[in-house]
Amino acid sequence: LIEFDLVDGTSHRLYLGTADSFRAAHVRADDDQAVYLALGISTADAPADISGWVDLVYFSVPENTPISAVTLENKTGLFEFTVDEAGGWTMKVLAAEQTLDQNAVDSLLGGVASLPMLRPLGKQEADSYGMQQPSARLTFETGDGDDGPGPLVLRIGAKSEEDGSYVAISS
């Protein structure tokens, strides 16, 4: 069942069913009892799952966008990473005897640079999302000077008891 509204305010229903032909469907409009074979459309074009209607990549740093710095804030503190002239990562407030694990930074960034969505929660922020005190906040500084989209911010909120996923809100 596909329900849609026209600009003039009228609402319509279109019933879509399977057909034996490839890229075809049985179609019935509104309360009309006549059923038609429509070519060029199939039930796969009207998925029942929300993931068929939205882009599942919720947050991503655009491909080929240089990242110059990353800040991670969570319950354990503030971690600031910058790219040095050689293209490696450095970390502020690192003791002289400590060395930064480049693979750990790359792994962290690889895990969040493109974040998939499980399901949309809505356009309004709710208290249950846990964003008053997010569990983590990542800020990606991109580009050199005026290049790039500017800072990209990803806030991580409450953990779902149901499936272990987290609420995320991005800039």
Side-chain angles (χ1 to χ4, degrees), residues 2-14 29-30:
I2 301 171
E3 296 177 300
F4 58 95
D5 299 324
L6 298 179
V7 174
D8 67 7
T10 59
S11 296
H12 295 279
R13 290 178 168 205
L14 183 66
D30 289 320

Side-chain angles (χ1 to χ4, degrees), residues 13-164:
R13 290 178 168 205
L14 183 66
Y15 297 91
L16 199 61
T18 58
D20 292 335
S21 301
F22 177 72
R23 296 288 303 155
H26 288 108
V27 178
R28 183 168 64 87
D30 289 320
D31 292 326
D32 189 352
Q33 294 303 308
V35 176
Y36 301 92
L37 180 64
L39 300 177
I41 189 171
S42 74
T43 55
D45 294 321
D49 188 11
I50 190 73
S51 64
W53 296 94
V54 297
D55 183 1
L56 293 180
V57 176
Y58 173 68
F59 174 84
S60 68
V61 175
E63 194 172 334
N64 300 323
T65 299
I67 298 172
S68 56
V70 176
T71 302
L72 168 63
E73 299 172 69
N74 63 21
K75 65 182 177 185
T76 60
L78 175 67
F79 305 91
E80 298 175 281
F81 305 95
T82 56
V83 176
D84 63 20
E85 291 181 14
W89 290 104
T90 61
M91 182 178 168
K92 290 184 181 179
V93 193
L94 195 62
E97 70 278 1
Q98 295 176 318
T99 58
L100 181 62
D101 184 344
Q102 297 289 316
N103 291 330
V105 177
D106 289 338
S107 178
L108 168 71
L109 297 180
V112 295
S114 182
L115 193 65
M117 173 185 358
L118 295 179
R119 62 190 166 278
L121 297 177
K123 294 183 178 185
Q124 301 297 321
E125 194 171 311
D127 289 341
S128 63
Y129 296 171
M131 292 300 167
Q132 301 83 0
Q133 294 182 331
S135 58
R137 177 185 174 104
L138 280 138
T139 304
F140 296 84
E141 297 293 336
T142 59
D144 268 337
D146 294 331
D147 295 342
L152 301 171
V153 179
L154 177 64
R155 294 182 298 151
I156 306 297
K159 183 177 182 178
S160 168
E161 298 286 330
E162 182 180 311
D163 61 10

